[in-house]
Amino acid sequence: MAGHRREKYGELAGPRLRPRDLGTEVLAGLLQRPGRSALTMLGTVLGIGAFVAIVGLSQVASGQIGKQFNTLGATQVTVVDVAAARAHTPTLDFPPNADALVSRIHGVLGAGVWWPIIFQRATVSVLPGPGEQSWGMPVDAVSPGLLPASGAHLSSGVLINQFDESHTQNVAVLGQSAAAQLHISNLANAPAIFIAGQPFTVIGIITGDARLPQFNFGVAIPESTALRLWGLPNGQAAQMLIHTRLGAAHVVAQQAPVAIRPDNPTLLSALAPANLGHLQHAVTTNLNTLFLALAGISLVVGAVGIANTTLVAVLERAGEIGLRRALGARPRHIGMQFLAESTALGLFGGLIGSACGVVTILTVTIAHHWTALLDPRLVAVAPLAGGVIGLLAGLYPALRASALEPAEALRR
Amino acid sequence: MIVIPAPASQIPVIELSGVGYTYHGPPPVQALHRLDLAIRAGEHVAVMGPSGSGKSTLLNLVGLLDRPTQGRLLINGMDMGAAPERTRAAVRARSIGFVFQAFHLLPHRSAVENVMLAEVYADIPRRRRRAEAMTALERVGLAARATALPTALSGGERQRVAIARALVNRPSLLLCDEPTGNLDTVTTGEISELLLDLHAGGSTLLVITHNPAVAERASRRLAICDGRLMEYQAGGRGGGPSA
Ligand SMILES: Nc1ncnc2c1ncn2[C@@H]1O[C@H](COP(=O)(O)OP(=O)(O)OP(=O)(O)O)[C@@H](O)[C@H]1O
Ligand SMILES: [Mg+2]
């Protein structure tokens, strides 16, 4: 009898749900409430969008940081007058021809000495006399080679040259911001300024670059003039900025003190660029970890959104579940239907989110004139990640749906 | 493809022996007490009884939507109370048609799409589904409204769509739980005419109803009270075979 019965059961294979039918049912289920489906996807769209944008932008940004480190750091050597820094009296250990000595080293593109001149109070004014308004802007002594080496951009007039230096001329080059503050824009009739009561002719206006951005806000005068009027460096010691060819910085740093002071190179100390590779790596790794954590949180929020909506749909559609069971659906068919709905929501959300993320990356990149770097793996993986999130989010609701007894479901 | 063996006249379509059902509660409710019942192929059986007497519970057991907590339930001679879920699902898909008081139509699908839903789980090839659904709608006289959404149909029309859905797979057994419970007198008459037609066409019908007019047209009437079943002898047309 038992065998007979089993034979009959065997003939009765369980009902099948074809993949195409499942697809049709899922699509119909999602489209019957398009507004809700869209809102549910929103979490994943934001999560995946944030993920793609954050990861993509951090890649772009780290590429950008790398670029700046490379062009600035790898081509710059600073020679510091360490003896002067230790000395108790004002000292200058750079000879007057230091620029020329260093320029002989192979790989040097430009070099110049500078030091800040320290005054007790605000010193720069447009008119002479103690009663006039004056500004406390920095005043720096520079050798003729410094401004070209720093990469400063001349916006009008000329730079300090060898003639000014050797004849200790009272000439000054203003940074752009300083010029604006002093209301000097036209150099045609040789405007004058007064530094601690001493008259100077303004011969040029510059925009400082990233190497010495402080020159934007200050006044540069010839080294020899500074020495004549105010003596040796009395605050911060003098230093030399050397602009080298890419890759030459380390060799230049080794040779520079000897080239400048063959008699006593230990008076000077050359700072080769820090090993920026390590620094850059550390910075970007930290950023990426933080950003990924944020993106992860937004993805979890998206997953909770899908889980919540799917669970609500299961409860709401209990009648439909009961009907489908009455029509012959097996528990697994019900479960698969809800799982596929949540997976589809995640997948669509992931697709839209990836698109939004890419658009964000492009917008930011273009706005900053950066180079867009996009890992194609990111664009491929992100929508799939959305699908996986939808799948995981749908597991519990699908289990609930498939466990619903048909008679019970029809009563709801 | 239909695998239920064709019932010889001596094998009942439905056979209950000592079937009882208790809702777990709390508190536990014994809704059915040791029922014995046999319904043969081609019978038209009406079940009447007061509210809460256990009619829906009985129909859920016969329709394999629930399992008896006691006794044996045979459909076409096979013990379905103990059968695995996939077997019960297969029997529901191919051999049983349901009509509910609340229609249970999917609101976002047209009449014909609602009918086609029954064909999905009965493994009917996709290309045949629409034609067969249209045939079923023709049988209930609704072919002209095939593309209408349920919300655009009257109560009687909705129930006819539900009946078409129950018929489309040509089940050997049609179960109706108060099919006219939500309908007015005129529409109730139409639906009960339709059920009579189906019975005349050879279907076995088990109809739960509160409506004496609907019950009167059945070939056999059962009364259920407090979970106990008895054959209804008084009056009636033709006097169906008694249990
Ligand atoms: N889910 C449930 N849990 C507990 N008790 C239930 C449940 N469903 C029904 N019952 C009880 O079982 C008994 C039979 O219920 P059933 O729904 O079968 O009655 P019915 O005859 O269909 O009534 P009606 O004519 O009102 O539809 C009732 O006493 C009811 O309270
Ligand atoms: Mg009932």
Side-chain angles (χ1 to χ4, degrees), chain B residues 42-60:
Chain B
E43 278 194 285
H44 178 185
V45 180
V47 179
M48 294 185 76
S51 185
S53 56
K55 303 183 297 293
S56 295
T57 308
L58 173 64
L59 203 80
N60 286 344

Side-chain angles (χ1 to χ4, degrees), chain B residues 120-140:
Chain B
V120 169
Y121 298 102
D123 211 15
I124 309 294
R126 286 176 74 98
R127 62 195 140 66
R128 273 171 41 200
R129 287 183 197 163
R130 189 167 289 269
E132 292 189 5
M134 286 306 297
T135 309
L137 282 174
E138 266 162 39
R139 272 183 87 184
V140 301

Side-chain angles (χ1 to χ4, degrees), chain B residues 3 14 37 52 60 65 120-121 135 146 160 180 183 205 230-231:
Chain B
V3 278
I14 302 167
L37 173 68
N60 286 344
L65 298 176
V120 169
Y121 298 102
T135 309
R160 282 195 275 168
T180 59
L183 305 177
L205 255 63
M230 55 207 120
E231 206 78 24

Side-chain angles (χ1 to χ4, degrees), chain A residues 41-63:
Chain A
M41 275 193 294
L42 202 59
T44 322
V45 170
L46 291 177
I48 295 281
F51 182 83
V52 170
I54 287 167
V55 173
L57 280 176
S58 81
Q59 282 175 350
V60 171
S62 59

